[in-house]
């Protein structure tokens, strides 16, 4: 199991971090390849980045499509590229039960907070507004609930008194880039088991 | 403002950490004194510890008493000892609006999680069951909602794969002892301002 399918909606900075790690980091050593990058929005800058890297880059616009219909298109595209592990990298859609059944325990997402705190949109804004002193990021398996599946890795990030959403987001993003590649490595290598909601290394 | 009133219900390990810091740490340098330790349960071991340190130790049993009635007794006892800042240290009761009005922004609590995650009882158990990789502890101002007031300090603590509730609680407790004294120092020295929910150092 070594072929990644990466789903994006925007700039895909986490996609780029994964691609770098595949090119010259631990994921490359594990023999991981990026099979395809799929965006649900044509204007996603990550698509150009994927093309520039000589990767398969596919635009599957979701606008106006029923979730089940769209997710079947996504599944077909991922299977066409023999994808083993699906990585959401700023993919701004909830996935249907049908999609999740196609990739059991084979979908990862990254979220810019220490879940279960601050799920959903604008997690960094939520953290600042709540006045927490520590936030972070989380890589988790995806289930049918928003930002709710079993957690693979988290990283803590301090909130500073003079932080804006931008400075805090940038500090978190550095850790996102680090832990996403690490989590993919753990899952690809199969070096874990899930007990209840706990993901334990083996 | 330098006189602390400490409310406990049990062993009061955070009370002991504060007392140590008053005796030979930064709180002592700031001129902080522990004016009184009050327990709502006669069997609280922290009461003996307070007596052993030669402190005022008061047992005010809460059992069977209406919250408003009990809280008025608590307020009277705290005022009797000229308390400036109330520190909850494992005090297992919600405080009434009347109590909180008596000590505006002058009540601190410590909670063994990175709030807003895992409020309420058994926070360490909740964290393990949820499968988080990072938890911690929080010192916050107390308002009328459970574990919800503005946050003064937090500390992050890793959750290890072989953790039990006991090992995790012990790791968190070390950080509790450190940050509670630090938070009391900030509040006593008045070196902060509150903006919305954010507590910012000045």
């Amino acid at each position: 199991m070594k072929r990644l399918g990466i789903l994006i909606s925007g700039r895909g900075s986490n996609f780029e971090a994964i691609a770098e790690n595949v090119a010259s980091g631990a994921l490359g050593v594990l023999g991981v390849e990026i099979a395809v990058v799929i965006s649900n929005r044509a204007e996603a800058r990550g698509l150009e980045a994927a093309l520039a890297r000589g990767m398969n880059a596919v635009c599957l616009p979701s606008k106006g499509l029923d979730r089940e219909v769209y997710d079947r298109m996504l599944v077909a595209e991922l299977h066409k590229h023999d994808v083993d592990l699906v990585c959401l990298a700023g993919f701004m859609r909830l996935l249907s039960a049908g999609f999740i059944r196609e990739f059991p325990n084979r979908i990862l997402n990254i979220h810019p907070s220490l879940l279960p705190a601050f799920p959903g949109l604008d997690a960094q804004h939520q953290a600042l507004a709540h006045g927490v002193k520590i936030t972070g990021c989380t890589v988790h398996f995806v289930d049918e609930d928003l930002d709710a599946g079993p957690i693979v890795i988290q990283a803590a990030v301090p909130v500073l008194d003079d932080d804006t959403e931008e400075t805090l987001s940038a500090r978190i993003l550095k850790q996102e880039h680090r832990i996403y590649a690490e989590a993919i490595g753990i899952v690809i290598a199969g070096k874990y088991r899930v007990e209840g909601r706990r993901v334990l290394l083996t």
Side-chain angles (χ1 to χ4, degrees), chain A:
Chain A
M1 187 190 88
K2 301 192 166 177
R3 292 175 64 80
L4 306 186
I6 299 185
L7 304 189
I8 64 173
S9 297
R11 65 183 163 161
S13 87
N14 272 302
F15 149 61
E16 295 231 52
I18 295 166
E20 287 298 323
N21 202 296
V22 166
S24 58
L27 293 180
V29 175
L30 281 169
V32 171
E33 314 168 56
I34 296 178
V36 63
V37 177
I38 304 175
S39 169
N40 69 316
R41 295 172 63 234
E43 61 274 32
R45 278 192 285 140
L47 279 181
E48 290 164 44
L51 289 172
R53 288 173 185 273
M55 293 174 177
N56 295 316
V58 175
C59 178
L60 276 185
S62 58
K63 211 171 173 182
L65 290 183
D66 175 81
R67 186 183 309 279
E68 304 288 335
V69 172
Y70 182 73
D71 280 7
R72 277 199 294 274
M73 290 166 54
L74 263 186
V75 165
E77 192 67 33
L78 290 164
H79 282 329
K80 187 171 124 190
H81 291 277
D82 269 334
V83 163
D84 302 300
L85 179 66
V86 178
C87 299
L88 311 187
F91 185 64
M92 304 300 279
R93 291 175 60 81
L94 264 181
L95 294 169
S96 61
F99 186 103
I100 288 160
R101 271 196 305 273
E102 286 287 328
F103 296 96
N105 284 323
R106 289 290 177 267
I107 312 168
L108 291 176
N109 184 36
I110 189 153
H111 183 81
S113 77
L114 289 177
L115 291 171
F118 313 127
L121 289 177
D122 297 326
Q124 302 93 335
H125 174 80
Q126 290 184 57
L128 278 175
H130 196 88
V132 293
K133 302 301 182 187
I134 295 172
T135 184
C137 47
T138 301
V139 180
H140 63 93
F141 288 108
V142 172
D143 62 18
E144 291 168 50
D145 297 315
L146 180 66
D147 300 328
I151 292 166
V152 183
I153 306 186
Q154 295 183 302
V157 171
V159 179
L160 305 183
D161 278 2
D162 57 0
D163 263 335
T164 61
E165 241 176 279
E166 288 66 37
T167 58
L168 178 59
S169 297
R171 193 176 308 118
I172 295 171
L173 200 57
K174 270 195 187 174
Q175 298 303 314
E176 291 180 43
H177 293 168
R178 181 177 65 78
I179 68 172
Y180 210 169
E182 196 179 331
I184 292 167
I186 289 168
V187 174
I188 286 281
K191 290 185 173 167
Y192 69 98
R193 65 182 196 281
V194 182
E195 283 183 11
R197 284 190 52 88
R198 296 187 74 187
V199 180
L200 304 171
L201 298 189
T202 54

